[in-house]
Amino acid sequence: MGGVVGKGDSPRHSTAATKLEQKMVEAMQQRAQEGTSLRSFNSVIMKFPKIDKSLRKCKIIFQQFDEDSNGEIDQLELKNCFQKLDISFTDEEIKDLFEACDIYEHMGMKFNEFIVFLCLVYLLNDPTVSEARLRMGLGNLEPTFETLVDAFVFLDKNKDGYVSKSEVIEAINETSAGERSSGRIGVKRFEEMDWDKNGTVTFKEFLFAFTRWVGLDENDDDDDDE
C-alpha cells in the first residue's frame, strides 16, 4: 500500500451529494449496525491478493458493456447494456450511477471505475438494483463485495456512513499498538482515500482508493496481452 493519489490526473471534487450518494451513506449506516468480522487493518491487507484476483474476473463483464472496445464505458453503452438485460433503470438513475463512478470526468468509466460501479450496484439493495445484480451475474462476486463493505464498516467507528481521519488513525493504532509511526501511517492512508479533501471519506472514495491499493488501475492492458 504505497502512495496512491497523485498519479496522472487528479480526481474531480464532489459537488452537492446526489440522491445516489445519499442512498450510499444510508446503506452504509444500516450495514454498520450489523457490525464487522474484521478485527484489525492488517486483516484487511491480508485479503488484498484474493480480492484482486476476484475483481479482475469482472473484466469479462466490463468487455460486455464496452461495446466499441475502447477501454471505457460511456453513458450510452451503460444504457444500452441495461436495456439488453431488461433492467428498468430511468435515464436519471443511469446518469447518477455513471457520474458517481466517472471520477475523472473522462465521460467514460475505466476498469477500476467499473469495479466501483459494480460494488455500488451490490450495495444499493433496492428491488431494481437487486434485479440488476442477478442479470449481470454478480452472484459469485458477492463475497468479495461484502468484504469491501466489511472493511469500510471496520473503519467507520461511529457508524455514521463516513470515515474520518481520527477513525483511520484509530484503526491503524489498533493494528500497530505502540508503534511510533502508526499515527503518520493513518494520516497517509486517510489522505489516499479523501479524494475531494473535505475531511471525510465516503464508501465510493474508499473503493477508488482500494482499487489503487490492489493495483487495479495499473497493468490492465498488460493483463490483456498475456
Side-chain angles (χ1 to χ4, degrees), residues 145-207:
F145 293 149
E146 185 59 28
T147 298
L148 293 171
V149 172
D150 217 23
F152 186 87
V153 169
F154 171 73
L155 294 173
D156 182 16
K157 301 299 184 184
N158 68 357
K159 308 183 189 306
D160 67 349
Y162 298 92
V163 170
S164 67
K165 184 185 295 185
S166 62
E167 287 174 321
V168 175
I169 293 173
E170 180 182 345
I172 299 292
N173 283 339
E174 289 173 356
T175 297
S176 310
E179 293 187 16
R180 295 177 61 184
S181 63
S182 59
R184 186 169 66 252
I185 294 171
V187 171
K188 183 176 177 61
R189 295 294 166 255
F190 177 79
E191 290 174 348
E192 291 168 352
M193 291 186 286
D194 186 18
W195 290 84
D196 61 9
K197 309 303 178 188
N198 71 346
T200 58
V201 171
T202 64
F203 184 56
K204 181 181 76 174
E205 289 176 301
F206 167 76
L207 289 174

Side-chain angles (χ1 to χ4, degrees), residues 85-126:
L85 294 170
D86 197 26
I87 299 171
S88 54
F89 275 35
T90 66
D91 287 347
E92 182 181 3
E93 288 170 331
I94 293 172
K95 181 174 181 288
D96 277 353
L97 270 171
F98 182 84
E99 289 183 352
C101 299
D102 182 25
I103 199 167
Y104 294 114
E105 288 192 301
H106 285 165
M107 300 308 294
M109 281 192 285
K110 294 184 179 296
F111 181 55
N112 68 317
E113 294 170 317
F114 183 66
I115 292 297
V116 175
F117 162 77
L118 292 180
C119 200
L120 295 185
V121 167
Y122 169 75
L123 177 66
L124 298 172
N125 190 26
D126 61 52

